[in-house]
Amino acid sequence: MIVYFIRSLTAYKGWFFFLVIISALGGLLELVFPLGVRDLLEEGVFLQSWPVLFRKIGFLALVEGAVFLFSLLGSYYGGKLSARVENDLRMTLFRHLTHLSFAFFDYSRTGKLMATLMGDISEAGDLVSRIPGDFAVSLVTAVGTIILLLYLNRPLGLVVIVLMAFKVVHTIVISGKLRNQYGRNRREFGHLSALGEENLSGIRMIRAYSAEHHIIEAFQKVADAYLRAREQTFFLGAYFGSSISLFTHLIQFAILLMGVFEIRRGAMTIADLVAYFLYVGVFIKPAMKLVFFVEAYQKSMAGFRRFYELIRVEEESGKNLPPLEAPHGTIEFRHVSFHYKGLPDVLHDLSFTIRKGETIAFVGETGSGKTTLLSLLLRFYDPTKGHIYLDGKDVADYSRDSIRKAIAFVSQDVFLFSGTIAENIAYGNLFAGMEAVQKAAERAHAASFIGRFPQSYDTAVGQRGVRLSGGQRQALALILANMTDIELLILDEHTAALDPKSSETVMRITDKLVKEKQVTSLMVTHNLRFALEYGSRLVMMHEGRCVLDVRGEEKQKLEIDALLKVFNEISVECGN
């Protein structure tokens, strides 16, 4: 994990080392002021001429000005470096998440992922600026201070070193406790973020069932757990910071006691003692920075650990497979079985062929495996047994992107982005202009309802299309499908949430799209009339098996009552 963090800085190594150098120079220059004061005291302030005094004081002022300049540059460029590394890490994680399998998202909560994508990475980015700005300066200043203390008076310097060694051991112990506590903080924050995102996304359902009190109590419980974790962290942080104050007074007391002893035996001057006290002040600043750095390091590493755990999750397999060139739309399922992780099979030894240009309607009770079957064709998942062929080629041998580009997918739960109508339609072809968008809407016979909006194609649809009706959202999804050169159209209960009139409208649009593009289409529906009227073939599913497969005249002879009877009896074997 540490190696990965260091590698994330390689693109900015020149910038990083520049920060280390100017920070170290600033730290070294801070050591000059106490020596200058000692020099003035030893030579006698009242015995020197004003020009000499002004020259020496002016030199010290220039040194402090240089310290200010180095500090300014370090803070500014350190902040920029932190922001850029943070942005790189965030883009790396986001890019990685978009290529993870659907199985990963089945077991992950969006709120937790967002907490890592935003909060945890921000903590890691903050550490980048602290390494040269806090750690490097503190290290140089502390080491330089020790050397000068030993130079001024070795016995007194040794006493200070012993006290510092004790503090280092103490810091290591507290650092381990802080690391564990910050890890707990990030976990609790992830739970809180996930619960908040989930409840706000489902606020309509919550209000509809008057469940506000219940979800507030649930949120309060998780928020309190996060609060308790933070309070424990505050105690450790306060204890750690207060120990620095105690440590400072111990050093001052030791210097005063030993200093008086050394002066009385003639091994030290008053000027040396004043310089010692000034160096204690110089030393406390980097010591405090080291305290904050240790705290920031533990906090950042707790967040970076969550980032690293996600980045190590394997992406979808087959990324380097060749593309499937120009598929025509003939599909074959050959002895296909499938089960979700840790669950029994939901599809059992399915075998059938779908000819090019066919519209096949899948019907069956909820949970019979219809949607899962479509997910396998889209390669959201891979079969646990058997194979799926497209134009006689095993889809597992080709890249997922090339297969999905040949397929338009319209589901019951249409997802629209919070942009305009035109932007959502153009998502089907990112290089299309407004003219192509309008033509696609006209071909889908949806231009009329778009034109009724005051801002027409520039109308904002709201988050997830909340400002549009269900029928309008489905119409936009079909227009989007019309924007691409597809060979397959998958419709998963795309009229289920609509009223009868809207359902008829959407089905007519769908039928025209299928006939105009001459595509192979697979339709999952619970509407048996739609299945008989619009499907050239009908397949009934039951418990992951195909129990009825009819086409042509045999399908035309079926009536809804007869189909319902078959649906209830579930007795016919699957044919090809």
Side-chain angles (χ1 to χ4, degrees), residues 434-451:
M434 180 57 73
E435 185 178 352
V437 167
Q438 292 173 342
K439 286 183 177 179
E442 290 169 2
R443 286 197 301 270
H445 305 278
S448 57
F449 94 79
I450 296 174

Side-chain angles (χ1 to χ4, degrees), residues 73-84:
L73 291 173
S75 297
Y76 174 67
Y77 285 105
K80 288 185 70 174
L81 174 62
S82 173
R84 293 195 178 193

Side-chain angles (χ1 to χ4, degrees), residues 127-181:
L127 179 64
V128 175
S129 64
R130 288 182 178 271
I131 293 174
D134 288 354
F135 183 72
V137 171
S138 302
L139 194 62
V140 168
T141 307
V143 171
T145 302
I146 291 171
I147 293 171
L148 288 170
L149 290 177
L150 289 172
Y151 167 74
L152 292 172
N153 188 282
R154 185 169 297 176
L156 191 52
L158 290 173
V159 170
V160 174
I161 290 172
V162 169
L163 290 173
M164 287 175 60
F166 172 78
K167 184 57 184 172
V168 168
V169 174
H170 179 259
T171 299
I172 292 171
V173 173
I174 298 300
S175 176
K177 293 181 179 180
L178 280 172
R179 180 177 62 250
N180 296 333
Q181 194 58 41

Side-chain angles (χ1 to χ4, degrees), residues 300-467:
S300 299
M301 284 297 104
F304 189 76
R305 188 174 292 107
R306 286 159 61 90
F307 162 85
Y308 188 65
E309 287 170 358
L310 286 177
I311 212 71
R312 291 182 66 192
V313 177
E314 290 187 11
E315 296 184 359
E316 276 188 323
S317 60
K319 195 174 181 180
N320 298 319
L321 291 174
L324 181 63
E325 300 290 345
H328 299 296
T330 300
I331 306 164
E332 181 186 359
F333 282 70
R334 190 180 297 175
H335 302 294
V336 170
S337 297
F338 176 76
H339 65 81
Y340 294 98
K341 184 179 179 181
L343 298 174
D345 281 0
V346 292
L347 296 178
H348 304 273
D349 196 31
L350 284 179
S351 294
F352 56 86
T353 300
I354 304 172
R355 300 168 187 166
K356 175 177 170 54
E358 267 191 323
T359 296
I360 180 168
F362 291 94
V363 298
E365 73 272 26
T366 300
S368 59
K370 305 181 298 296
T371 297
T372 299
L373 185 147
L374 302 184
S375 296
L376 295 184
L377 182 58
L378 282 161
R379 293 207 67 196
F380 290 165
Y381 307 92
D382 287 325
T384 49
K385 292 181 183 177
H387 301 272
I388 301 173
Y389 295 91
L390 189 54
D391 299 334
K393 300 172 182 176
D394 192 337
V395 294
D397 295 333
Y398 297 89
S399 67
R400 285 178 167 83
D401 284 348
S402 64
I403 293 167
R404 291 169 187 166
K405 284 178 181 177
I407 302 173
F409 177 56
V410 182
S411 69
Q412 175 182 348
D413 183 22
V414 174
F415 186 94
L416 296 179
F417 294 93
S418 54
T420 65
I421 289 176
E423 288 169 346
N424 274 280
I425 294 173
Y427 200 76
N429 184 350
L430 298 177
F431 299 102
M434 180 57 73
E435 185 178 352
V437 167
Q438 292 173 342
K439 286 183 177 179
E442 290 169 2
R443 286 197 301 270
H445 305 278
S448 57
F449 94 79
I450 296 174
R452 286 196 291 270
F453 288 106
Q455 293 177 289
S456 189
Y457 288 89
D458 292 325
T459 301
V461 302
Q463 187 173 11
R464 297 179 64 91
V466 70
R467 296 178 185 172

